[in-house]
């Protein structure tokens, strides 16, 4: 307990110093699995013309997904997304937020039109993917801080474990705080698939990251998403090479701040009375102050936090304290998501 209090006090002092030093800028970068943001219309794959399997999210589907429910979902998501990062950056929030489980660009357009996201001028990047259920990843960004320059959808290469087209890796390059940055937004195969399916995803993303760094060693690369694995699982620790400790994140590796957070007993989704931490943001070594110089001449990792806003959690009953979902046991709860959002903070000298 004394160690936890001391750590909290040190973080408070460090945050206060950053806030008071006008020569330093603080940036928040987040990720949130927004759990099935579907509109009320049936979708076709724009590339193949085939039907998307979105039938449960139609007015006559099993979830009776009406316009009223859709609008409530948009409002709820906008509230949570706008609050992300405001514990450190009040009224500003995140410069970038990766999202998963969104049906299409129409949904993201409707989402960014919600207040207070619209007040911040939030925009988005989305590329339609091949997932049969129709869920994709997206990237929301505040154009005051981030300027996208290039984007593509890196495909998931099918294998013996995943034989049907599935979600690729949304890759966006641009400038944040004057630094070149690449964000790779992921939603790896679910736990209905065996571990090698996610290990393959980790290997693919690692290869993409290496290729990006080979072209530009100064590029800062962040891999974020719902990995459907914990930080210590093979897909993250072995295949993506995301390490628990900063000093272990040497060239060719990445740093995963969520590993220690999970060991401390905190997670982003609850299962059978325990917590998993599938929602992660990991980074290349050039984002780290390994030697403790604190010169902050480029974007430097500062802190990682799970966003446990009280309204995101069940307030009573058997599942009190766990994420409040949109649906549970076929009942519409008018909730948020089965996941909690995560945020990382970066500092840079102005």
């Amino acid at each position: 307990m004394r160690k936890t209090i001391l750590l909290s006090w040190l973080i408070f002092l460090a945050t206060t110093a950053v806030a008071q030093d006008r020569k330093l800028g603080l940036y928040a970068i987040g990720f949130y699995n927004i759990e099935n943001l579907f509109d009320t219309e049936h979708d076709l794959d724009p590339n193949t013309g085939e039907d998307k399997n979105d039938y449960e999210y139609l007015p006559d589907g099993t979830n009776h997904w009406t316009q009223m429910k859709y609008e409530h979902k948009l409002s709820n998501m906008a509230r949570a997304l706008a609050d992300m990062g405001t514990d450190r950056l009040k009224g500003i929030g995140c410069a970038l937020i990766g999202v998963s489980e969104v049906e299409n660009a129409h949904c993201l357009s409707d989402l960014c039109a919600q207040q207070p996201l619209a007040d911040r001028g939030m925009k988005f990047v989305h590329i339609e993917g091949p997932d049969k259920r129709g869920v994709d990843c997206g990237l929301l960004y505040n154009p005051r801080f981030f300027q996208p320059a290039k984007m593509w959808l890196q495909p998931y290469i099918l294998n013996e474990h995943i034989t049907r087209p599935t979600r690729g890796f949304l890759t966006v390059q641009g400038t944040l705080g004057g630094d070149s940055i690449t964000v790779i937004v992921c939603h790896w195969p679910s736990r209905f698939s065996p571990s090698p399916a996610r290990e393959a995803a980790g290997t693919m993303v690692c290869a993409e990251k290496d290729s990006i760094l080979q072209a530009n060693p100064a590029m800062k690369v962040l891999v974020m998403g719902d990995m459907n694995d914990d930080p210590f699982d093979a897909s993250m620790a072995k295949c993506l090479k995301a390490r628990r400790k900063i000093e272990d994140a040497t060239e060719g590796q990445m740093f995963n701040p969520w590993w220690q957070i999970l060991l401390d007993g905190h997670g982003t989704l609850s299962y059978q009375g325990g917590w998993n931490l599938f929602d992660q943001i990991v980074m290349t070594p050039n984002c780290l102050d390994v030697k403790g110089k604190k010169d902050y001449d480029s974007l430097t990792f500062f802190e990682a936090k799970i966003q446990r806003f009280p309204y995101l959690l069940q307030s009573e009953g058997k599942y009190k304290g766990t994420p409040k979902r949109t649906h549970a046991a076929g009942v519409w709860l008018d909730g948020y998501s089965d996941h909690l959002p995560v945020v990382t903070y970066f500092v840079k000298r102005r």
Side-chain angles (χ1 to χ4, degrees), residues 4 230 232 258-270 273-277 306 308 321 340:
T4 301
D230 285 315
F232 49 73
W258 311 98
W259 194 322
Q260 187 60 49
I261 291 172
L262 179 59
L263 290 178
D264 290 339
H266 309 293
T268 55
L269 68 159
S270 178
W275 286 95
N276 292 100
L277 212 166
I306 298 172
R308 291 183 59 89
L340 294 175

Side-chain angles (χ1 to χ4, degrees), residues 49 74 141 153 196 198 214 262 277:
L74 289 170
Y141 66 93
L153 187 64
R198 292 177 296 282
Q214 185 176 12
L262 179 59
L277 212 166

Side-chain angles (χ1 to χ4, degrees), residues 45-57:
D45 188 315
N47 299 312
T48 67
E50 296 179 356
D51 291 311
K52 294 283 191 177
N53 187 16
D54 59 359
Y55 299 107
E56 62 181 320
Y57 283 94

Side-chain angles (χ1 to χ4, degrees), residues 16 19 137 143 186 228 237 241 339:
T16 302
C137 293
C186 306
N228 276 305
K241 303 177 184 178
H339 293 243

Side-chain angles (χ1 to χ4, degrees), residues 112-171:
C112 288
Q114 301 289 309
Q115 302 296 347
L117 297 180
D119 284 342
R120 296 180 190 170
M122 295 295 284
K123 298 182 181 299
F124 68 89
V125 175
H126 170 268
I127 299 175
E128 187 75 26
D131 186 84
K132 292 301 181 183
R133 202 166 72 88
V135 289
D136 298 321
C137 293
L139 182 70
L140 307 185
Y141 66 93
N142 188 328
R144 287 179 56 196
F145 307 109
F146 178 74
Q147 296 79 40
K150 185 179 180 181
M151 60 210 67
W152 67 90
L153 187 64
Q154 191 77 6
Y156 180 101
I157 300 172
L158 302 182
N159 51 63
E160 61 181 311
H161 306 290
I162 298 291
T163 58
R164 298 177 59 188
T166 190
R167 302 172 291 267
F169 317 115
L170 178 64
T171 307

Side-chain angles (χ1 to χ4, degrees), residues 242-260:
R243 306 307 187 206
R244 172 187 166 194
K245 299 180 179 179
I246 286 180
E247 57 267 28
D248 293 336
T250 55
E251 185 177 354
Q253 321 291 321
M254 303 192 81
F255 172 57
N256 191 343
W258 311 98
W259 194 322
Q260 187 60 49

